[in-house]
Amino acid sequence: MAGLQELRFPEEKPLLRGQDATELDNSDAFLVAVDTDWKEHDIETPYGLLHVVIRGSPKGNRPAILTYHDVGLNHKLCFSTFFDFEDMQEITKHFVVCHVDAPGQQVGASQFPQGYQFPSMEQLAAMLPSVVQHFGFKYVIGIGVGAGAYVLAKFALIFPDLVEGLVLMNIDPNGKGWIDWAATKLSGLTSTLPDTVLTHLFSQEELMNNTELVQSYRQQIGNVVNQANLQLFWNMYNSRRDLDINRPGTVPNAKTLRCPVMLVVGDNAPAEDGVVECNSKLDPTSTTFLKMADSGGLPQVTQPGKLTEAFKYFLQGMGYMPSASMTRLARSRTASLTSASSVDGSRPQPCTHSHSESSEGLGQVNHTMEVSC
């Protein structure tokens, strides 16, 4: 498929940091052209090496966009379609972009030795400050899917000062119960690992129809990702604990995510119930819930345009990407979305957004937004 093509990486070169330390919170300046190629790095962390792919270099006080993929995937399979989308590139050239691959999940990864202990979900989160420090990021805006969303949420809970915002797709804040654990084990005995992982990634309708997308991912999960390494990641994800978050005011000393959060899930996706529950545990004044119709289990792959539009407004709500720099995106905006974010470049207080089918610049403040495709 066109959205799953392999990226070609140039020979690694040292990252070039801009000499201009001017803060770019409200600037339209793009990253310099020399920093637009992707560069691969292996970064030492307290729990082993992390493979990271980065484009651009930090500029002033602007955060990096840091991604973390779902189990069964890597940054290419999970995010290439989304980040290669033309309108998304209009956004990302204003930021340094950093894709993190979970240990052993990158293309061409060597198989872990016998007896290797895969990091726990908490330890995966604790590896990320090493990435932030290595590249000199002041803070990040995280984009995570499934297992990656869980890791980024845990990262934000442990290191809140390093996270300015989160886009969490298909997040399940709950640990696996004994029944779920037994069902997973039984599935592993009767199905291949790629087919087992597919039930986590795709809706039942997509699997029943055996769509071209499902067939492509079945093949690539089996051929691109090291199967022994994937099994370790899959086992660790399915042994995760509850995320341990509660909406402020519902329990004494409630812990929750302090940064603005956009939750995303496709209608009838396997993660739908988990995302709805996560939404109920977050602060409604700083949370956007985006439920995308007809997008299946991987909205970043099936509906990159809708997701790009929502991400643009999410950034604008945090004071980035003023409207003057978004003229081409404004022309191509979809009729089903309108902005409820500030577009004047100042740092507004976080708020929940509602996107309707109005063509006006501002929508009603509400708790949930549903996007029809």
Side-chain angles (χ1 to χ4, degrees), residues 12 40-45 49-52 106 134-135:
E12 180 177 346
E40 295 185 85
H41 299 260
D42 289 313
I43 298 175
E44 290 278 1
T45 80
L49 286 176
L50 267 186
H51 180 262
V52 172
Q106 71 270 22
H134 180 87
F135 294 113

Side-chain angles (χ1 to χ4, degrees), residues 78-362:
C78 193
F79 292 112
S80 286
T81 300
F82 182 40
F83 278 84
D84 288 348
F85 189 71
E86 186 177 6
D87 287 353
M88 186 62 177
Q89 293 186 49
E90 287 292 310
I91 295 174
T92 57
K93 63 185 177 182
H94 293 258
F95 297 87
V96 57
V97 178
C98 179
H99 294 305
V100 177
D101 285 317
Q105 310 304 301
Q106 71 270 22
V107 175
S110 299
Q111 184 168 317
F112 289 126
Q114 186 87 15
Y116 172 80
Q117 179 60 48
F118 196 87
S120 68
M121 301 303 286
E122 291 76 13
Q123 290 170 337
L124 290 176
M127 297 170 84
L128 294 178
S130 299
V131 177
V132 173
Q133 182 179 10
H134 180 87
F135 294 113
F137 302 151
K138 293 187 177 180
Y139 30 76
V140 302
I141 296 172
I143 303 178
V145 181
Y150 183 100
V151 170
L152 289 181
K154 181 66 72 172
F155 173 54
L157 288 170
I158 303 172
F159 306 99
D161 292 340
L162 297 180
V163 182
E164 187 165 2
L166 287 173
V167 177
L168 304 176
M169 291 178 258
N170 298 339
I171 185 171
D172 187 345
N174 300 315
K176 287 274 191 179
W178 283 106
I179 295 177
D180 292 329
W181 179 85
T184 300
K185 285 291 185 183
L186 181 61
S187 176
L189 294 174
T190 58
S191 304
T192 65
L193 181 58
D195 281 330
T196 301
V197 171
L198 287 175
T199 64
H200 164 75
L201 298 175
F202 291 100
S203 68
Q204 283 300 313
E205 181 180 358
E206 290 172 296
L207 294 173
M208 290 286 291
N209 293 335
N210 197 28
T211 63
E212 182 183 354
L213 186 66
V214 170
Q215 295 178 47
S216 175
Y217 270 87
R218 178 183 291 111
Q219 179 182 7
Q220 297 207 54
I221 291 170
N223 296 333
V224 174
V225 184
N226 182 287
Q227 298 297 284
N229 295 354
L230 169 56
Q231 185 71 66
L232 294 174
F233 188 17
W234 177 250
N235 292 344
M236 190 56 69
Y237 177 65
N238 284 307
S239 62
R240 69 190 181 278
R241 301 175 181 175
D242 290 349
L243 200 52
D244 192 25
I245 54 175
N246 290 283
R247 178 166 290 182
T250 58
V251 298
N253 302 316
K255 290 194 304 182
T256 194
L257 298 172
R258 288 167 32 185
C259 62
V261 177
M262 181 167 75
L263 298 173
V264 182
V265 69
D267 198 16
N268 297 320
E272 184 175 1
D273 291 344
V275 178
V276 169
E277 181 168 352
C278 187
N279 184 52
S280 72
K281 294 182 175 184
L282 297 180
D283 185 346
T285 65
S286 58
T287 304
T288 298
F289 180 25
L290 175 61
K291 188 175 178 182
M292 300 183 68
D294 302 323
S295 66
L298 296 178
Q300 79 278 13
V301 175
T302 58
Q303 296 288 347
K306 301 286 187 180
L307 188 57
T308 296
E309 193 77 1
F311 184 52
K312 178 188 78 170
Y313 296 131
F314 181 69
L315 290 173
Q316 288 179 333
M318 292 190 292
Y320 298 110
M321 307 302 298
S323 56
S325 67
M326 302 296 291
T327 52
R328 203 192 69 77
L329 270 176
R331 288 196 300 270
S332 66
R333 66 188 299 177
T334 57
S336 61
L337 290 175
T338 59
S339 173
S341 307
S342 168
V343 293
D344 61 2
S346 62
R347 287 287 187 91
Q349 292 296 317
C351 63
T352 21
H353 310 304
S354 172
H355 295 261
S356 66
E357 292 187 356
S358 165
S359 61
E360 300 299 321
L362 294 176

